[in-house]
Amino acid sequence: MGVEICVEGLTKSFGHQVIWQDVSLTLPAGEVSVMLGPSGTGKSVFLKTLVGLLKPERGSITIQGRDITKLREHELYEVRKLFGVLFQDGALFGSMNLYDNIAFPLREHTRKSESEIRRIVLEKMDMVGLIGAEEKLPGEISGGMRKRAGLARALVLDPEVILFDEPDSGLDPVRVAYLNQLIVDLNAQIDATFLIVTHDIASARQVPDNIGLLFRRELVMFGPREKLLTSDEPVVRQFLNGRMQGPIGMAEEKDAAQVEQELAQLGAGARTETPGGRDLTPRLLPGPGITRPPRWEAIAAREAEPHRRKEVADA
Ligand SMILES: Nc1ncnc2c1ncn2[C@@H]1O[C@H](COP(=O)(O)OP(=O)(O)OP(=O)(O)O)[C@@H](O)[C@H]1O
């Protein structure tokens, strides 16, 4: 069913460098959330902190009633079994074929028989569309296939939470579209809690239930997709439209006067919103034949509301 992750007042530094501070958010059970932010704002650090690979200086991460920031290493080992992680490059072992790569966590963490392992590995390979590629080595397949193999491996222990670190990096737009559909379908099928770090705005607009944005060492916003997509917050608008004008600069920050001037110029006429601009981009739906979890009805009703209000206002 997926578990809720409740983050409160989280702060992470390396030496004197504060990466982010006082981050609070709740990843709702079974929902898909996306974390955005300029390069270097600590999105990967956030994922590693959630899974207990990095220790925060302050704050808590509560999962199933336990604050994992307080756990000892052997207790964390158990909690980590709740997580599946898809690393940027799939993190596959280059000398092992896909079958053995995907079987690895089962052989490492369970006492299942080889016949049971075979059943699970083939089931997960089927889910990600990799049946027939069991004997291939990671170096013999495309980047998209490596991502899907990494995803199959993240699925074998039936995780309650899946963390995706830039699943779309290095993929062409068509492969990104297929991967997004796979993510939405998988979420509907296994109902785990998903958190995706991405730079791909099109994906961020279509795939998640919730969006968050890290900037200037803070979580600027985290909330339902429609709230972020229709937000007037300058940094959110700049990021979601991928434009130069706004608070985010080449080296991440700009001074206030420059931002004000740029935004005034924008207001004076230049049209730089992406297609869809402030509109609510339609959500990517699970494919035909995939039963949608009950929460989809609530989502549809929630997302219809701004449209309904707009129609009333326009009338
Ligand atoms: N183990 C570490 N020790 C010291 N500094 C680190 C460590 N890991 C990350 N950092 C620093 O933390 C900052 C955030 O890094 P992180 O990789 O999380 O950013 P990001 O938002 O994921 O970036 P990108 O979008 O480019 O992948 C960087 O300045 C990085 O150098």
Side-chain angles (χ1 to χ4, degrees), residues 110-304:
T110 74
R111 291 168 185 269
K112 292 188 191 299
S113 66
E114 277 302 314
S115 64
E116 179 68 348
I117 287 176
R118 182 169 183 76
R119 186 190 65 72
I120 297 171
V121 170
L122 294 180
E123 178 194 82
K124 306 306 179 195
M125 289 187 81
D126 189 25
M127 281 176 108
V128 302
L130 277 182
I131 285 295
E134 294 88 330
E135 300 299 325
K136 297 263 191 233
L137 289 171
E140 296 170 344
I141 58 176
S142 68
M145 283 173 85
R146 274 197 293 277
K147 301 262 186 192
R148 283 187 279 142
L151 188 49
R153 195 176 58 180
L155 290 172
V156 288
L157 294 178
D158 289 329
E160 300 281 356
V161 183
I162 305 187
L163 306 178
F164 300 77
D165 196 357
E166 295 190 32
D168 35 45
S169 69
L171 298 187
D172 65 69
V174 175
R175 295 309 182 338
V176 171
Y178 277 111
L179 188 69
N180 284 341
Q181 187 66 57
L182 178 60
I183 289 173
V184 169
D185 290 351
L186 277 177
N187 178 256
Q189 285 168 295
I190 67 174
D191 227 10
T193 307
F194 285 17
L195 177 61
I196 305 168
V197 162
T198 181
H199 285 291
D200 189 66
I201 302 304
S203 305
R205 284 174 167 272
Q206 296 175 70
V207 172
D209 298 287
N210 312 292
I211 305 178
L213 178 64
L214 283 169
F215 179 58
R216 288 187 180 152
R217 292 168 287 284
E218 301 209 330
L219 183 69
V220 180
M221 261 193 172
F222 181 86
R225 182 183 82 106
E226 65 274 16
K227 186 174 154 203
L228 273 279
L229 293 186
T230 55
S231 166
D232 286 326
E233 173 73 33
V235 67
V236 175
R237 293 248 53 76
Q238 182 185 6
F239 204 85
L240 288 176
N241 288 291
R243 68 185 183 207
M244 291 187 291
Q245 296 87 351
I248 308 169
M250 185 71 175
E252 210 205 304
E253 296 181 22
K254 294 181 195 167
D255 68 60
Q258 187 186 352
V259 172
E260 213 165 292
Q261 190 189 8
E262 286 176 358
L263 293 178
Q265 278 169 359
L266 261 187
R271 179 171 165 74
T272 56
E273 302 258 311
T274 51
R278 207 169 294 221
D279 295 343
L280 197 50
T281 315
R283 233 186 113 109
L284 198 55
L285 300 174
I290 295 183
T291 312
R292 296 179 199 175
R295 73 185 166 84
W296 278 85
E297 274 176 37
I299 291 168
R302 198 176 75 192
E303 297 204 337

Side-chain angles (χ1 to χ4, degrees), residues 1-5 27 29-31 47 50-51 63 79-86 154-155 158-164 190-195:
M1 172 53 221
V3 293
E4 176 183 282
I5 302 183
L27 301 178
E31 296 194 6
L47 293 188
L50 284 188
V51 78
I63 302 173
V79 171
R80 281 199 196 113
K81 288 187 194 162
L82 295 173
F83 287 86
V85 184
L86 176 60
L155 290 172
D158 289 329
E160 300 281 356
V161 183
I162 305 187
L163 306 178
F164 300 77
I190 67 174
D191 227 10
T193 307
F194 285 17
L195 177 61

